[in-house]
């Protein structure tokens, strides 16, 4: 049976359109093998792809007579052998056309009875490119396949290889974008690195992916994150220069190797300060002697790109840390001056009362008012020192898993007055809000907001404090001026009916020593902000002046729940 020129051209045009259509790879291969089987008059056909995870060919699509679930499962069970036509094409990358397989192929053992002719072509865009798979056609007729059939089948196989290469490129681009988002978006360093190695192992189809950081003092590589399946566990540490992993750190160059046990690919993590770590992937040895399971040039380029992203993220983190340190030092300078002034005023007042007390004791007179004044001064001094201490320790956390709803209600139970002209309204999401938090510190922050709201509203004769919780997913916008990495957050809101805060003061109120209350150093909201940010969250005031204040707090939800 031949293929008419017009029909062949028309079919190839339609098959070319299918390669870029919105079909899955599985759907495309099933369509291709069916069309090729029918066009060549084959009895049956199949497409098998080379899979690194199994170290051989995996049957993906079939067409024609005789196929059952058992046949599909067993057809390539001989993949560890090297004397099959399919494995020959996969190994050499050259098509094979046989007119009488039982006679022409020594030791030929057909899977289906009655096979005479075989045509198998590789899925590879270039002759020297690693074969992606094999399109295999069989016929129960002698000399069933012509050169025209082979050309048609090879063209279809090339289209399939092109689509698979496009899918690989798209998958790697998507992975690189996702890794970039993880490196710039996750507030949790450990979770961020775990996601990086997870995505890397998936896109490079590796049994193991591990990330090591180099300690400059000890010159030792320490395991920071790993993902593995089916290979021995990653070592916890390497001395620089030790093994393939240590060699990457020493030379600053890629190491790509294949031995009898495994395929290894390691890339240096670059930094402005030099190599700061190693990102490596490992595949176990192939179960098929003919199947090359080593990493390709394209995979090496992908790993280098990911390692460079990790290095850039580390540089940015160090730069941010330096910036924060500079801002912190500036804040400490301002705090030192302000706290010295405020504490000095209290000490000066106490000294004055001591001098007055000495005079009264010498001359006789009433000492009780002076003693009471000194007590108030000392108590006031203790309050100032306690507030200062809370500010300093705001970022020192002892985090444990907890529920934000429970923490909020506990803070209200401890802080909200039992008898007040202020009415409390609570509206909590009807599910657990899992967070990793220092419960005592968060309740300290919430209590500050509750006390402020109650104080201002009672001074006005009363009002309402509304407390709500809800979830903001990574696809939803956060409240205005709340700049946080994309993630899933629990959002807690304290909304009152007090005087509100002018627009010009909304950012300033979180700075140290800013207060409109008679008591305190003005560190209350600065402490709140420090505690929330130490939990990788954010706080913003979004109320309207004259209508009340609304403080909104976003805290990252714990991945995986409790």
């Amino acid at each position: 049976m031949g293929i008419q020129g017009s029909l062949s051209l028309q079919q190839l045009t339609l098959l070319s359109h299918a390669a870029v259509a919105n079909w899955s790879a599985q759907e495309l291969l099933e369509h291709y093998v069916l069309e090729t089987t029918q066009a060549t008059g084959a009895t049956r056909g199949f497409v098998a792809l080379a899979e690194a995870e199994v170290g051989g060919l995996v049957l993906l699509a079939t067409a024609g007579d005789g196929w059952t679930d058992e046949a599909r499962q067993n057809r390539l069970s001989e993949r560890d052998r090297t004397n099959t036509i399919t494995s020959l094409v996969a190994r050499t990358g050259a098509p094979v056309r046989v007119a009488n397989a039982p006679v022409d192929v020594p030791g030929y053992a057909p899977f289906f009875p009655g096979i005479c002719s075989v045509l198998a072509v590789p899925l590879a865009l270039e002759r020297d490119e690693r074969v992606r798979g094999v399109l295999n056609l069989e016929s129960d007729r002698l000399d069933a396949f012509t050169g025209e059939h082979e050309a048609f089948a090879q063209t279809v196989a090339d289209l399939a290889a092109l689509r698979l290469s496009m899918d690989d490129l798209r998958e790697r681009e998507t992975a690189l974008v996702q890794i970039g988002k993880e490196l710039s978006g996750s507030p949790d360093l450990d979770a961020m690195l775990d996601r990086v190695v997870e995505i890397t192992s998936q896109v490079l189809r590796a049994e193991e992916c591990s990330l090591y950081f180099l300690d400059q003092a000890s010159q030792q590589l320490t395991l920071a994150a790993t993902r593995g399946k089916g290979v021995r566990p990653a070592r916890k540490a390497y001395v620089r220069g030790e093994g393939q992993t240590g060699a990457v750190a020493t030379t600053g160059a890629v190491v790509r190797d294949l031995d009898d046990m495994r395929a290894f690919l390691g890339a240096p993590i670059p930094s402005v300060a030099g190599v700061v770590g190693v990102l490596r992937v490992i595949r176990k040895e192939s179960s098929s002697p003919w199947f090359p399971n080593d990493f390709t040039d394209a995979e090496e380029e992908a790993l280098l790109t990911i390692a460079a992203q990790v290095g850039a993220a580390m540089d940015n983190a160090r730069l941010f840390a330096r910036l924060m340190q500079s801002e912190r030092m500036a804040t400490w300078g301002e705090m030192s001056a302000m706290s010295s002034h405020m504490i000095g005023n209290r000490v000066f007042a106490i000294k004055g009362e001591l001098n007055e007390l000495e005079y009264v004791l010498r001359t006789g007179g009433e000492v009780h008012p002076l003693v009471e004044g000194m007590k108030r001064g000392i108590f006031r001094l203790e309050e100032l020192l306690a507030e200062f201490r809370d500010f300093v320790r705001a970022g020192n956390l002892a985090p444990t898993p907890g529920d934000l709803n429970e923490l909020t209600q506990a803070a209200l139970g401890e802080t909200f007055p039992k008898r007040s002209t202020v009415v409390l309204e609570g509206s909590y999401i009807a599910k657990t809000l899992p967070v990793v938090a220092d419960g005592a510190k968060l309740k300290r922050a919430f209590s500050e907001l509750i006390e402020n709201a109650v104080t201002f509203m009672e001074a006005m004769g009363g009002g309402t404090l509304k407390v709500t919780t809800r979830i903001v997913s990574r696809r939803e916008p956060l409240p205005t001026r709340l700049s946080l990495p994309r993630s899933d957050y629990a959002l807690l809101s304290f909304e009152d009916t007090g005087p509100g805060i002018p627009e010009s003061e909304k950012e300033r109120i979180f700075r140290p020593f800013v207060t409109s209350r008679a008591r305190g150093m003005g560190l209350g909201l600065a402490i709140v902000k420090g505690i929330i940010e130490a939990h990788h969250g954010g706080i913003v005031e979004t109320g309207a002046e004259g209508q009340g204040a609304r403080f909104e707090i976003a805290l990252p939800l714990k991945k995986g729940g409790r």
Side-chain angles (χ1 to χ4, degrees):
M1 178 184 294
I3 300 177
Q4 298 298 324
S6 60
L7 177 60
S8 173
L9 180 60
Q10 181 183 9
Q11 283 182 303
L12 289 176
T13 300
L14 294 174
L15 293 173
S16 299
H17 291 164
V20 294
N22 190 27
W23 289 8
S24 69
Q26 178 73 40
E27 293 170 333
L28 183 73
L29 293 177
E30 289 174 351
H31 177 63
Y32 276 3
V33 70
L34 177 61
E35 290 292 318
T36 310
T37 300
Q38 293 176 346
T40 60
T43 305
R44 70 188 59 84
F46 67 83
V47 173
L49 295 186
E51 293 288 351
E53 290 89 342
V54 300
L57 292 169
V58 175
L59 193 69
L60 250 69
T62 61
D65 298 338
W67 290 111
T68 63
D69 289 342
E70 182 180 3
R72 291 185 183 91
Q73 183 175 354
N74 296 331
R75 177 61 180 85
L76 292 177
S77 62
E78 78 277 14
R79 64 172 176 263
D80 293 339
R81 294 162 46 193
T82 60
N83 62 342
T84 66
I85 293 175
T86 308
S87 62
L88 176 65
V89 173
R91 182 173 73 253
T92 63
V96 171
R97 179 160 49 98
V98 181
N100 188 350
V103 174
D104 298 341
V105 180
Y108 180 70
F111 182 80
F112 288 102
I115 294 175
C116 294
S117 303
V118 177
L119 172 60
V121 295
L123 273 66
L125 294 178
E126 301 292 340
R127 189 60 188 270
D128 58 349
E129 180 188 9
R130 181 173 297 178
V131 174
R132 302 296 306 271
V134 177
L135 170 58
N136 198 98
L137 302 171
E138 300 170 346
S139 175
D140 53 11
R141 294 178 292 108
L142 291 171
D143 200 17
F145 301 112
T146 66
E148 189 177 9
H149 289 143
E150 180 180 325
F152 181 85
Q154 187 62 72
T155 302
V156 174
D158 290 345
L159 288 172
L162 176 63
R163 167 59 188 273
L164 294 172
S165 295
M166 290 169 56
D167 286 351
D168 278 354
L169 180 60
R170 188 178 298 112
E171 182 183 2
R172 285 176 188 163
E173 287 178 344
T174 301
L176 292 175
V177 170
Q178 182 62 33
I179 287 173
K181 289 180 179 178
E182 295 292 338
L183 290 171
S184 63
S186 177
D188 186 332
L189 177 63
D190 291 337
M192 173 187 76
L193 297 179
D194 281 343
R195 282 289 292 150
V196 168
V197 297
E198 179 184 359
I199 296 171
T200 304
S201 65
Q202 289 173 356
V203 73
L204 295 184
R205 296 174 176 84
E207 274 75 34
E208 183 217 296
C209 178
S210 299
L211 191 153
Y212 293 84
F213 281 129
L214 179 64
D215 180 71
Q216 296 295 338
S218 65
Q219 290 295 288
Q220 181 170 280
L221 289 162
T222 303
L223 184 66
T226 186
R227 279 287 184 277
K229 51 178 182 179
V231 295
R232 60 181 180 268
R235 280 179 53 174
K236 298 296 183 183
Y238 285 90
V239 176
R240 187 171 183 175
E242 179 186 7
Q244 296 164 315
T245 304
V248 176
T250 301
T251 63
V254 171
V255 172
R256 194 166 106 194
D257 191 26
L258 178 67
D259 57 29
D260 293 336
M261 297 298 295
R262 64 179 189 172
F264 176 94
L265 177 62
I269 299 174
S271 164
V272 293
V275 175
V276 295
V278 174
L279 180 62
R280 77 177 195 193
V281 283
I282 293 173
R283 287 181 188 146
K284 60 185 177 183
E285 64 174 328
S286 171
S287 59
S288 298
W290 59 266
F291 184 79
N293 212 16
D294 57 321
F295 293 97
T296 65
D297 292 343
E299 289 167 333
E300 177 180 321
E301 183 179 351
L303 190 68
L304 278 168
T305 303
I306 295 170
Q309 285 183 301
V310 174
M314 296 301 102
D315 283 338
N316 289 339
R318 282 191 290 271
L319 182 62
F320 181 73
R322 291 194 195 102
L323 178 62
M324 291 298 294
Q325 181 66 19
S326 298
E327 292 183 355
R328 193 175 294 114
M329 292 303 294
T331 301
W332 275 110
E334 180 185 359
M335 283 191 62
S336 297
M338 291 293 294
S339 59
S340 295
H341 174 72
M342 299 179 76
I343 293 172
N345 285 346
R346 302 314 307 167
V347 171
F348 180 78
I350 293 172
K351 282 183 177 180
E353 289 171 332
L354 276 172
N355 291 333
E356 183 67 20
L357 179 60
E358 288 178 349
Y359 175 78
V360 170
L361 289 174
R362 287 197 308 268
T363 60
E366 182 59 49
V367 299
H368 181 72
L370 293 172
V371 172
E372 289 300 316
M374 291 173 61
K375 283 182 179 180
R376 287 193 299 271
I378 292 172
F379 291 155
R380 183 73 185 96
L381 186 58
E382 288 178 342
E383 287 178 353
L384 294 176
L385 291 173
E387 193 172 357
F388 185 80
R389 183 173 60 248
D390 287 345
F391 179 82
V392 172
R393 295 178 179 176
N396 298 338
L397 305 181
T400 58
D403 175 17
L404 186 61
N405 280 332
E406 292 179 358
L407 291 172
T408 303
Q409 292 174 49
L412 286 164
E414 295 170 7
T415 309
F416 194 82
K418 298 295 184 288
R419 288 179 294 275
S420 175
T421 55
V422 175
V423 176
L424 175 63
E425 294 182 0
S427 177
Y428 309 104
I429 189 169
K431 61 172 65 177
T432 299
L433 293 177
V435 293
V436 177
D438 186 322
K441 288 287 178 63
L442 277 187
K443 287 193 290 183
R444 162 73 171 86
F446 300 163
S447 294
E448 177 72 24
L449 297 175
I450 295 165
E451 287 179 358
N452 283 352
V454 170
T455 298
F456 281 111
M457 285 189 287
E458 285 186 339
M460 297 172 60
T464 301
L465 174 62
K466 185 176 182 180
V467 182
T468 60
T469 60
R470 64 183 179 93
I471 291 176
V472 178
S473 73
R474 63 178 59 238
R475 293 179 295 275
E476 297 178 78
L478 287 166
T480 306
R481 297 196 308 275
L482 200 54
S483 179
L484 290 171
R486 180 173 294 182
S487 186
D488 296 327
Y489 291 92
L491 192 69
L492 169 63
S493 174
F494 293 93
E495 184 175 3
D496 65 51
T497 56
I501 298 170
E503 188 67 31
S504 60
E505 297 292 310
K506 290 183 183 295
E507 295 292 340
R508 185 171 174 270
I509 56 173
F510 293 107
R511 297 176 188 169
F513 309 110
V514 175
T515 182
S516 59
R517 296 172 63 181
R519 303 189 61 179
M521 296 174 68
L523 295 179
L525 289 179
I527 293 171
V528 172
K529 186 173 186 288
I531 292 172
I532 299 303
E533 290 182 348
H535 285 84
H536 306 294
I539 180 171
V540 66
E541 200 287 318
T542 59
E545 184 180 5
Q547 299 178 24
R550 180 171 62 243
F551 288 90
E552 296 188 275
I553 297 170
L555 293 168
L557 286 169
K558 180 178 181 291
K559 292 183 178 179
R562 287 185 183 272

